[in-house]
Structure formats: structure tokens, C-alpha cells
Amino acid sequence: MGGTFEPLAGGGAAVALDEIEVSILRSLAVQLLELIGPGPQAEDADPLAALFAEGPTEAPSDPALARLFPDAYGGPGAPTEGPRAAETKAHAAEFRRFTENDLRTRKREDALEVVRTLDALTPGGDGGAVLELTGTQPLRWLGALNDLRLTIAARLEITEDDEAGVLFRLPDSDPRKPMVMAYLWLGGLQETLVETLTP
């Protein structure tokens, strides 16, 4: 089972992780949480008010956050000038205002689930452990793995999967190499987790 998810009898998925892999996954999830930002601060806040709270209207300036929270309208081929461009921008801002807070909450909860499940692992004699995901955990992990890959891809300026292959051939002395290896490893985890959940 080393390094790839396999289906659990009765549903769910399991993967064997060594001590270093657990540490890397946890560190990446914590960094993702820091990037996404804190959740609602006031514990006694009115839940109804929070439900209708408006979010930002502008796309994030950080490329990684822009990849995690893209505009719902526009994109490649969309007009950049004139009335159509202004209309597209207005629609994107309106959509973002009512959806980004919920999307941030979901992404934060996915990353927190990764941290919690890793913290609950009981190491074996060799320092490794078998991570078992059941219930909603596999879907939370899928979301977090995807967000981690999007974030790393933004930092590496990867736009297409074939670019990752070019980066894979970077010399070991290149400072991007560890991030490229993490990107490819997370992709393998994500792919095998999807396969375990596909009937």
C-alpha cells in the first residue's frame, strides 16, 4: 500500500505513510490554512447574520489565492475592453460577493480535516502509520489535495499538466525541485484516492 490509496472493505480508503510523508502533508495543510486565512472570529456571532454576510468583490491579488478562488465569469477569450468586459466584471464581482465566504469556509474545513486525521494517527514501530479515511473524510481529503496542488501550481507557474513533466526533469540543484516533487506526489495521492472512490 506504500504511498497510494487503496479501497477499504466497507467503504473509504487507506494509505500507508511514513513519518516524513505525514510531516510534509501536515505542514502543507497548515500552510494552506494560513493562506486561506482565519474563519469567523466571534464565537457568539449571529449565525443568521453570518449566513448573509457579504464577501469580497475583487479577485485576490495573490496568484495562489486567485487559483483557489477564480472569477466565475470571464477567463481566456473574454473581452477585456468595452461594455461586455464591464458587464462580465460586474457579474464576476456579484457572484464572488455571495459565494467566496462559503468557499473559503469549505476549503478551510477540508484542510483542517487533513491536519486532524494526521494528528490522530498512531505511528507504528517504524514511525510510519496507515491512514484510514471513512465517511466524509475521503471527499474532504480530495478537496484539500486539489487545493494544495492548485496552490503549488500557482507558485511554480504551472498552467498545463505537461509543464509538470518539464519541471520534473529539473536538476536537483534547482530550488524549485522540492516543490515540483511535492506537486507530483500530491497528484499521485489524489489520483489513487479518486480511483478508490470510483465504482
Side-chain angles (χ1 to χ4, degrees):
M1 188 190 313
T4 60
F5 278 99
E6 293 185 6
L8 281 174
V15 62
L17 298 170
D18 65 32
E19 201 172 357
I20 294 172
E21 291 170 329
V22 170
S23 176
I24 291 171
L25 277 170
R26 190 183 189 289
S27 175
L28 289 172
V30 168
Q31 290 176 56
L32 180 62
L33 284 167
E34 291 169 357
L35 179 67
I36 293 169
Q41 299 299 316
E43 290 182 19
D44 58 347
D46 179 4
L48 190 58
L51 183 63
F52 292 103
E54 294 182 5
T57 57
E58 293 292 323
S61 59
D62 182 313
L65 284 173
R67 188 84 59 104
L68 291 174
F69 305 104
D71 277 332
Y73 297 89
T80 56
E81 295 180 5
R84 297 273 321 240
E87 185 179 321
T88 299
K89 186 174 180 178
H91 288 316
E94 189 74 359
F95 189 84
R96 180 178 297 280
R97 182 164 64 112
F98 291 109
T99 59
E100 186 169 313
N101 284 346
D102 287 342
L103 188 55
R104 278 184 185 267
T105 297
R106 185 180 57 84
K107 290 179 181 298
R108 190 179 302 109
E109 289 172 356
D110 289 349
L112 278 170
E113 184 65 34
V114 170
V115 173
R116 287 185 189 118
T117 52
L118 292 173
D119 285 350
L121 283 177
T122 305
D126 59 355
V130 175
L131 172 71
E132 294 188 355
L133 303 177
T134 57
T136 61
Q137 289 175 328
L139 293 178
R140 292 252 180 236
W141 267 73
L142 267 181
L145 289 171
N146 187 59
D147 290 343
L148 288 169
R149 291 190 79 234
L150 286 173
T151 301
I152 293 173
R155 296 291 185 241
L156 291 170
E157 299 179 355
I158 295 173
T159 55
E160 300 291 336
D161 281 340
D162 58 345
E163 289 184 45
V166 172
L167 290 171
F168 182 72
R169 292 186 290 278
L170 290 174
D172 290 344
S173 58
D174 192 298
R176 297 171 294 170
K177 187 74 174 205
M179 212 183 312
V180 169
M181 299 309 291
Y183 176 80
L184 296 171
W185 175 57
L186 291 169
L189 287 175
Q190 184 181 18
E191 184 179 345
T192 59
L193 182 52
V194 168
E195 288 170 0
T196 65
L197 302 176
T198 306

